[in-house]
Every structure is written in structure tokens, then in C-alpha cells.
Amino acid sequence: MKNRLQDNLQGIGMTSQRTRDRLVQRLRDEGIHNQRVLDVIRNTPRHIFVDEALASRSYEDTALPIGHGQTISQPYVVARMTEALLESGPLDRVLEVGTGSGYQAAVMAPLAGEMYSVERIRPLLDQARERLAALQLRNVQLKHSDGSWGWPEFAPYDAIIATAAPEQVPESLLQQLAMGGRLVMPVGSRQVQQLVLITRTASGFEQAVLDQVMFVPMLGGTE
Ligand code: SAH
């Protein structure tokens, strides 16, 4: 795995740079405007976050299967969530629920101070750990656990990003937000979900709806 990752990282030629530029242009066309977000997406090798058989499709703006019934998020949605958090306040301490392939963490990490990410499926977490290490992203700590409980040890967080959809926002995630902290996540059923941005204020929580989205469900327990 390590050797394949190194080979794939070194084997990035002109073609894939052009392919990545095309993805960034598409995100721009779809309304992503933050240059720092677009730059990180351009510089993040999404092809190492999917199985080799899918690598040729990895710069398409689409979710792709990563095994265990899970998917790597669509680049547009990754960009949208990252941009919403980056433009609404500090990112000194960030929690992600649902590490999955590790791609969203790799996009967020260069923009964040300390990043914490939890995943309930052990083999996905182990693979993500190797990929993030290959990219030398040393400010990300990973944990195998049910992230609907957050990661209380390092709370409060300036920002929380969840990449799996519960039917309702878990109370523990709200409680682990710092004052002024923001939580971005999909909420809803398997068929209909809204991407919400919740801000903790002195008087409570404010909520805005950013988009209609389709994420895998947030599940309890670990496997
Ligand atoms: N951010 C990921 C998206 C992966 S899909 C990426 O960029 O690839 C969402 C992930 O959330 C899946 O891997 C799923 O196993 C995980 N997940 C679902 N419910 C969870 C929970 N309660 N705690 C932690 N992870 C969870």
C-alpha cells in the first residue's frame, strides 16, 4: 500500500494536472469562489483516495464508492462545506465525523490548525491514515469510534464537519462547539437531506440551509 501510494504520488504527470485544473474550473462554474479552497483542491491528489480501478474517474465531480457501502464525497460538496466553514470564522481546531477515504480531511487540513477526524469503520480509517501520512499531513489525528458522540477530549471546536447524514443533529456535536463555532452537516432521511450550517451564539444556535445533498447515513456503533 505504502509503495503504491508513493508511486502514484510521484507519477502525477501533465495529464492529471490538466484534469485537476478542469475540475477546479468546474467548481468555479458551480459557484465555489474561495481561492484558498480552490487551490487546496487543485493540489490534493484525489486519485490516491480511491481504489486504483477508479483512479481515472477521480477528478470527475462525482461521489465514488470506497467499499463497505460508503462513498468519497463529491468534490463540489467538499468544496462547499470547506468554504462555508473557512468564511464564517476561525479553523484552529476542527472535528470531522466520517473520515471515510480521508479526502475531506486532506482538503481541510491545510486550512486548519489542528484537525481531528473519527470513523466508525476500522479498515477505512486504517487506509485513510496511510494516505494522510503519504501526503505528510501531520496535523490530523484520527480515531476509530462512533462520531455521533463527537470527540469530547479535544472540544470545544471552532468548526465541526460531518460527512454522513443523521435524521437529526446530534446534541453532543452542538455541545462540542466553541462560542461562535460552526457545524456544517447533512441532515435528513436517506432520500431527502439538507446541508445545514449551524452557528453557536451567546443566545443559542442559528441555522441556515446551504443546499440539498445526498450523503450516506450516519450510523451508530463501530465495525
Ligand atoms: N469525508 C469522507 C466521506 C466518507 S462517507 C470522504 O471524504 O471520503 C461518510 C463516512 O462516514 C463513511 O465512511 C461512514 O462509515 C462514516 N460514518 C457514518 N456514521 C458515522 C459515525 N456515527 N461515526 C463516524 N463515522 C461515521
Side-chain angles (χ1 to χ4, degrees), residues 85-86 88-96 108 114 116 156-161 176-178 180-184:
L85 292 177
L86 184 63
S88 55
L91 294 178
D92 296 330
R93 200 179 277 251
V94 179
L95 172 68
E96 177 187 36
M108 184 62 93
E114 292 298 323
Y116 303 86
Y157 298 98
D158 300 306
I160 301 178
I161 181 168
Q176 287 171 35
L177 278 179
R182 294 87 58 218
L183 164 64
V184 69

Side-chain angles (χ1 to χ4, degrees), residues 81 84-85 88 95-97 157-163 166 168-178 180-187 195-200 205-208 210 218:
M81 293 169 95
L85 292 177
S88 55
L95 172 68
E96 177 187 36
V97 177
Y157 298 98
D158 300 306
I160 301 178
I161 181 168
T163 61
Q168 279 170 359
V169 178
E171 187 60 31
S172 353
L173 296 185
L174 294 173
Q175 292 315 324
Q176 287 171 35
L177 278 179
R182 294 87 58 218
L183 164 64
V184 69
M185 69 186 305
V187 186
L195 186 64
V196 299
L197 176 67
I198 297 172
T199 307
R200 183 173 206 166
F205 296 92
E206 286 169 8
Q207 180 169 320
L210 301 183
M218 187 174 283

Side-chain angles (χ1 to χ4, degrees), residues 40 104-115 132 137-140:
V40 186
Q104 170 72 68
V107 168
M108 184 62 93
L111 304 167
E114 292 298 323
M115 172 134 200
L132 296 169
L137 292 169
R138 298 199 182 84
N139 61 334
V140 188

Side-chain angles (χ1 to χ4, degrees), residues 143-169:
K143 184 167 85 153
H144 180 225
S145 80
D146 175 354
S148 45
W149 302 103
W151 191 343
E153 193 182 344
F154 297 105
Y157 298 98
D158 300 306
I160 301 178
I161 181 168
T163 61
E167 302 230 345
Q168 279 170 359
V169 178

Side-chain angles (χ1 to χ4, degrees), residues 46 49 64 66-74 78 81 96-107 117-122 124-125 128 131 143-150 161-166 170 215-223:
R46 191 168 184 256
F49 290 88
L64 293 168
I66 55 171
H68 307 269
Q70 307 304 320
T71 54
I72 181 173
S73 306
Q74 180 191 351
V78 170
M81 293 169 95
E96 177 187 36
V97 177
T99 315
S101 67
Y103 178 67
Q104 170 72 68
V107 168
S117 183
V118 297
E119 169 58 54
R120 60 181 290 282
I121 300 177
R122 167 84 71 186
L124 290 180
L125 188 73
R131 291 164 175 155
K143 184 167 85 153
H144 180 225
S145 80
D146 175 354
S148 45
W149 302 103
I161 181 168
T163 61
F215 277 84
V216 295
M218 187 174 283
L219 302 174
T222 55
E223 55 184 88

